[in-house]
Amino acid sequence: MLKTIVRNLLRGPVTMKGPAPAEAGIEELASRLDRAARARLGRSLSIREVDAGSCNGCELEIHALNNVIYDLERFGMRFVASPRHADVLMVTGPVTANMRDALFRTWDATPDPKWVVAVGGCALDGGLFKGSYGIVGGVGSVVPVDLHIPGCPPRPIDLLAGLVALVEAAK
Amino acid sequence: MLDHLASIGTRAGDHRPFPRFDLDREAWAALVATLAEKPDWSLVGLWADTGIVHMALREDASGAVAVVSLACPEGRFPSVGGVRPAAIRLERAVQDLFGVTAESLVDPRPWLDHDAWPIRLPLSADPPDPLGHPEPYPFLPVEGPGLHQIPVGPVHAGIIEPGHFRFTCNGETVVRLEQRLGYVHKGTEWLMAGRSVAEVAKLSARVSGDSTVAHSLAFARAVESATGAAVPARAVWLRALMAELERLANHLGDIGAICNDAAFAYMLAECGLLREKVLRAADACFGHRLMMDRVIPGGVAADLADDGRQLLARLVTDLREAFPPLIHTYDEKASLQDRTVATGRVATELVRRFGAGGHVGRASGRGQDARRSPGYAPYDELDFEVPVFADGDVNARVWIRIREVEASLGLVRQILDRLPEGPVHAPVPAAAGQGMALVESFRGEIMTWVAVREDGIVTRCHPRDPSWFQWPLLEAAIEGNIVADFPLCNKSFNCSYSGHDL
Ligand code: SF4
């Protein structure tokens, strides 16, 4: 183990360079984030992830943000365990009827100012599950959404670009 | 088993590749009684269609698989849950979705239906109006001096799917865990009914995102059996290649995550890097990191280019170099072993009774692997070990995954060496039929059953994720352990919520 650690230290970081913020994301955000948010946010964000009905594909890629390649924390962003600690709710999945209350209550428990990032095709409008009795629709049908990151699932790089855009726009 | 089923029922004509027998009520009831005396006839699945209930069984010794069906126009059938406890939750789901009642079911509480849908019995022929007065879900009563309850979820602390756990504890020790699932129920089976094969293939790929290749493969093979489709050889081998890459990625991710839950973050960092390498290679070769929608009925949707082949060969070399030092670390760190050895034990007897497979079954002495039995191409031509351990603890489940990583690396290498040339897709013929497939996902055996019409419309599809038979065992695994070890036990199982709730 020590050998590997030493080798890794000598090799230097494996993290990839941070992506440029996505233009579309900035535009979408700029119109939604008000001046108060710009003043308050700075370059630090606590994110609470909520699976509101996903197939778990989106979760896998959100997890990847924490690996040593993407290493989200170097952007000042980290995942937290409670909505009470969060600035951002990152929500996946078509919101199922069985998760509607839990999602709303998680959002309600998150202190203001707060932002909601909807991740994946399902979270936009239900995706392939549209029309089912089991879902109530996209995340926006239960809580207000500030940014949508498309993909099924979005690649970690797209998630990162979306989050960087969120911070840049809020500066 | 097959002789017995043939003697009590009539063989149905259009069910492939395993036989299906129509039983009458008496024969079904007699079969339930027989099951009590035949512990090695394990339950593979139990599901319903309009006015009919199906059950799939396997004789463990011979590997014979068969489906039995009972028409139940009155909407009732004798429960199997009494003799096969793994059937209980499936029967509760059948009640919620079809309104078909399992008579004398030991636990008749609703399961997937949380009283939040705009309709009731969504898959029944004539769904009634919703109840409109949700009542609190009756958790099982627990009484005793010094006991207290800890309710957790549906929203958990980590980046994880939603579900509810009700712990009853005596001090730090968990006396009982009761799960409540169904939070991610998306009505997938309802959506699947009446759609084209291509549309249902997309839904199948999203039953559980981490096993998207395996679920797609199970659906594709079920459709191909039902319609008599011939799949080109190259596609068959590419499917196995994708399935092994998926297995590698998941096991690597899980090994790291389990160690992380034992407060050993180093392994998470190292294994996370290896997992990322696998996903990037998959992306470069097949255009999607998880390889979603790449296995389709009739073949595969993406061919492997020559440089992709080289890239995967390099990946195998890379992992073969990077993985052994990590195993060594896992094995030699007392602080890790202290948390994983003897934690979250599941007895062999229990995994047998539940017919549990995958790493949960194999860590507890049940060596079932669908790639071997019933087996499917190209695995019959490939050389690989199916590891089996007896301890049944977190440590054994980690070791199963370690051995399976090694086995998958060997399989990828063999597939790359022997990949046949030729087309990768053939059209699915317009034919009606019922088909079933058993496929080994990283988590265990998936069963998918499908009924297709001649015009290519799926009238009914039932994917049964391995989680169905593993979730109940997690309740048993945590008993007598401390609350702080729950994440560790849970992660070593890593059951799918989406695949179960559907
Ligand atoms: S967007 Fe795709 S990957 Fe994400 S939850 Fe929906 S189906 Fe799964």
Side-chain angles (χ1 to χ4, degrees), chain A residues 51 53-59 61 92-94 119-124 126-129 148-154, chain B residues 186 202 205-209 288 290 292 498:
Chain A
D51 176 343
S54 118
C55 77
N56 81 33
C58 281
E59 272 62 34
E61 295 297 54
T92 65
V119 170
C122 290
L124 181 63
L128 277 182
F129 301 97
H148 174 250
I149 302 175
C152 183
Chain B
K186 296 182 270 292
K202 290 212 151 204
R206 287 154 183 82
V207 163
S208 183
H288 193 286
L290 305 179
M292 203 172 252
S498 179

Side-chain angles (χ1 to χ4, degrees), chain B residues 1-2 18 40-42 44 57-66 368 372-375 438 445:
Chain B
M1 184 181 81
L2 296 182
F18 311 109
D40 78 319
W41 294 8
S42 51
V44 176
L57 295 167
R58 169 197 289 111
E59 185 176 32
D60 285 346
S62 68
V65 176
Q368 172 61 36
R372 275 280 159 70
S373 170
L438 294 169
E445 182 178 79

Side-chain angles (χ1 to χ4, degrees), chain A residues 1 4-5 8 16 48-51 53-57 59-64 66-70 79-81 94 96-99 102 106 128-135 152-153 155-156, chain B residues 97 112 114 116-119 122 154-159 161-162 182-188 190-191 202 206 208-210 264 266 270 273 275-276 280 283 287-290 292 329 333 496 498:
Chain A
M1 183 178 164
T4 323
I5 292 177
N8 285 350
M16 55 182 282
R48 173 63 251 196
E49 202 267 352
V50 184
D51 176 343
S54 118
C55 77
N56 81 33
E59 272 62 34
L60 293 174
E61 295 297 54
I62 293 172
H63 260 294
N66 277 331
N67 74 24
V68 291
I69 305 272
Y70 299 102
F79 288 94
V80 293
T96 63
N98 291 351
M99 271 304 284
T106 307
L128 277 182
F129 301 97
K130 223 184 292 179
S132 167
Y133 67 90
I135 70 161
C152 183
R155 290 183 165 88
Chain B
L97 300 178
L112 299 176
H114 292 195
W117 306 333
I119 49 171
V155 178
H156 301 299
I159 302 169
E161 300 178 81
Y183 289 93
V184 274
H185 178 81
K186 296 182 270 292
T188 307
W190 180 86
L191 283 168
K202 290 212 151 204
R206 287 154 183 82
S208 183
D210 51 15
F264 207 85
Y266 169 83
E270 293 287 338
L273 177 59
R275 175 184 157 87
E276 182 67 24
R280 287 185 170 206
D283 196 9
H288 193 286
R289 285 162 53 91
L290 305 179
M292 203 172 252
T329 301
K333 287 289 167 239
S496 174
S498 179

Side-chain angles (χ1 to χ4, degrees), chain A residues 4-89:
Chain A
T4 323
I5 292 177
V6 171
R7 194 171 51 206
N8 285 350
L9 283 175
L10 294 177
R11 201 170 55 190
V14 288
T15 41
M16 55 182 282
K17 279 184 63 196
E23 288 303 322
I26 293 178
E27 270 166 31
E28 191 180 345
L29 274 167
S31 63
R32 290 207 164 106
L33 291 175
D34 61 12
R35 249 163 279 127
R38 290 163 200 240
R40 280 188 203 180
L41 198 54
R43 250 187 102 91
S44 167
L45 263 193
S46 293
I47 308 164
R48 173 63 251 196
E49 202 267 352
V50 184
D51 176 343
S54 118
C55 77
N56 81 33
C58 281
E59 272 62 34
L60 293 174
E61 295 297 54
I62 293 172
H63 260 294
L65 287 178
N66 277 331
N67 74 24
V68 291
I69 305 272
Y70 299 102
D71 188 20
L72 192 67
E73 293 214 5
R74 72 197 148 119
F75 297 103
M77 297 181 239
R78 60 197 185 99
F79 288 94
V80 293
S82 162
R84 300 274 188 220
H85 303 161
D87 308 302
V88 171
L89 287 185

